[in-house]
Amino acid sequence: VQLQASGGGLVQPGGSLRLACAASGSIFRIANLGWYRQAPGKQRELVATMVSGGSAHYADFVKGRFTIRRDNAKNTLYLQMNSLKPEDAAVYYCNADIWKYGSTGHSNYWGQGTQVTVSS
């Protein structure tokens, strides 16, 4: 099982980006999904999560600006980021709890990270 994150890049303050995280492999079911970020010199922090039922949770610093969405048919997680600020600059990582075919429990996986730079 692999998680492949994409969509990062350079954007001006106030701009938007959409991140995507595609899961591939022998996937039976994906439960909880999330986006985290890590800026230089800082710890990795939660940005947004979505449970299998579809309920979303956001960190206070992104509420009203970021939207997490999942496409179960495509095994893909998205993060729409609007009104970006310089302090949003970080490497963004996706995370997922995944059941593989034939497994008796889920395992937790991380994507490789995608860089988001917010600068004029």
Side-chain angles (χ1 to χ4, degrees):
V1 172
Q2 287 188 329
L3 298 180
Q4 181 70 41
S6 62
L10 172 64
V11 64
Q12 292 186 343
S16 299
L17 282 175
R18 189 181 77 157
L19 306 183
C21 176
S24 61
S26 181
I27 297 170
F28 172 69
R29 177 173 173 259
I30 301 176
N32 303 330
L33 296 161
W35 288 99
Y36 294 74
R37 70 186 188 187
Q38 188 168 18
K42 295 186 177 181
Q43 290 188 335
R44 191 171 296 189
E45 60 185 358
L46 171 71
V47 176
T49 60
M50 178 172 280
V51 299
S52 57
S55 296
H57 167 79
Y58 297 92
D60 286 343
F61 51 77
V62 302
K63 282 182 179 178
R65 300 188 298 124
F66 292 10
T67 303
I68 188 171
R69 185 176 67 85
R70 63 190 293 169
D71 185 330
N72 291 327
K74 296 181 178 180
N75 286 336
T76 300
L77 177 70
Y78 301 96
L79 184 69
Q80 178 66 43
M81 305 187 295
N82 299 327
S83 302
L84 282 161
K85 305 175 182 180
E87 53 264 40
D88 293 319
V91 178
Y92 283 70
Y93 298 90
C94 55
N95 179 269
D97 291 327
I98 296 176
W99 273 260
K100 296 173 64 176
Y101 280 103
S103 66
T104 57
H106 68 270
S107 296
N108 187 259
Y109 296 88
W110 288 94
Q112 86 285 6
T114 184
Q115 177 72 50
V116 172
T117 303
V118 185
S119 175
S120 55

